[in-house]
Amino acid sequence: MAAAAGMAAAAAEREAQLVIAEQERAELDRDLSGEIDELAAHWEAKGLTPETARRVAEELTAHDALAAQPDAEHGIDEIMAEAAPIWSGVAAGIAFALGAAVPLLITWLAPVAIETTAIVLAVVLSLVLTSLVAARAGHLMLRRVLVPTLVVGLGTMGVSYVAGLAFF
């Protein structure tokens, strides 16, 4: 599940990047001069003089127009590689498997009186840490990995706890 979630998040991110790149390609084909003006305005807003901003925009556009626009407008310095979602899924799977070992170890090692509290705290910490690792490995925004991970992880733990109370 964790590997699939990591892979899905990376695939969605890559797809969004491809859509943005295609939109920028169409805008460049339609109005190259306007796109250079837009890029110059971006660099001017960053503190460059109008002349320098214009020169930077023209040079970046001459070098690689399709890379300059998504970088300036969307913060995309490079389109994610086609294999990145797969590697993100693998990294997420490994990270979450390691994270799952933590509550198991606490079950074996912690005194019974604090076991439940220790497990909940350890699970939250494990989910946060493994989400961080998975997000960095997949070059994803932490929030896009962390929120669903916490919701699913803690929700699953809650359902398991209630089922355990009901049936055991």
Side-chain angles (χ1 to χ4, degrees), residues 73 89 93 95 110 115 122 124 154 157 159:
E73 292 179 29
E115 183 178 294
V124 170
L154 294 175
M157 190 171 68
V159 168

Side-chain angles (χ1 to χ4, degrees), residues 3 7 12 15 18 20 40-41 51 55-56 62 74 78 88 108 113 143 148 153:
M7 189 169 161
E15 186 64 30
L18 291 172
I20 288 169
E51 299 79 24
R55 194 173 84 237
V56 167
H74 305 282
E78 183 178 352
S88 179
W108 288 335
R143 186 190 58 197

Side-chain angles (χ1 to χ4, degrees), residues 137-165:
H139 305 288
L140 302 169
M141 292 184 340
L142 177 59
R143 186 190 58 197
R144 289 183 120 181
V145 177
L146 181 61
V147 171
T149 299
L150 284 173
V151 169
V152 171
L154 294 175
T156 302
M157 190 171 68
V159 168
S160 299
Y161 182 76
V162 169
L165 290 175

Side-chain angles (χ1 to χ4, degrees), residues 116-140:
T116 302
T117 303
I119 288 174
V120 170
L121 292 175
V123 165
V124 170
L125 181 63
S126 294
L127 290 171
V128 169
L129 291 175
T130 54
S131 293
L132 179 62
V133 169
R136 287 209 175 168
H139 305 288
L140 302 169

Side-chain angles (χ1 to χ4, degrees), residues 8-149:
E13 185 81 18
R14 182 173 190 279
E15 186 64 30
Q17 290 176 351
L18 291 172
V19 167
I20 288 169
E22 188 54 41
Q23 289 171 346
E24 290 299 332
R25 183 184 331 274
E27 289 175 12
L28 286 164
D29 289 344
R30 189 173 49 251
D31 184 16
L32 179 61
S33 177
E35 289 298 302
I36 293 172
D37 292 343
E38 190 178 299
L39 192 56
H42 165 77
W43 288 111
E44 194 174 335
K46 293 280 190 181
L48 297 180
T49 64
E51 299 79 24
T52 303
R54 181 73 182 184
R55 194 173 84 237
V56 167
E58 289 171 350
E59 288 182 20
L60 287 173
T61 301
H63 175 70
D64 187 352
L66 193 54
Q69 293 293 330
D71 184 22
E73 292 179 29
H74 305 282
I76 301 172
D77 59 347
E78 183 178 352
I79 301 294
M80 190 181 294
E82 191 172 350
I86 294 168
W87 287 112
S88 179
V90 169
I94 291 168
F96 285 92
L98 291 173
V102 173
L104 183 62
L105 288 172
I106 289 173
T107 300
W108 288 335
L109 302 174
V112 174
I114 65 163
E115 183 178 294
T116 302
T117 303
I119 288 174
V120 170
L121 292 175
V123 165
V124 170
L125 181 63
S126 294
L127 290 171
V128 169
L129 291 175
T130 54
S131 293
L132 179 62
V133 169
R136 287 209 175 168
H139 305 288
L140 302 169
M141 292 184 340
L142 177 59
R143 186 190 58 197
R144 289 183 120 181
V145 177
L146 181 61
V147 171
T149 299

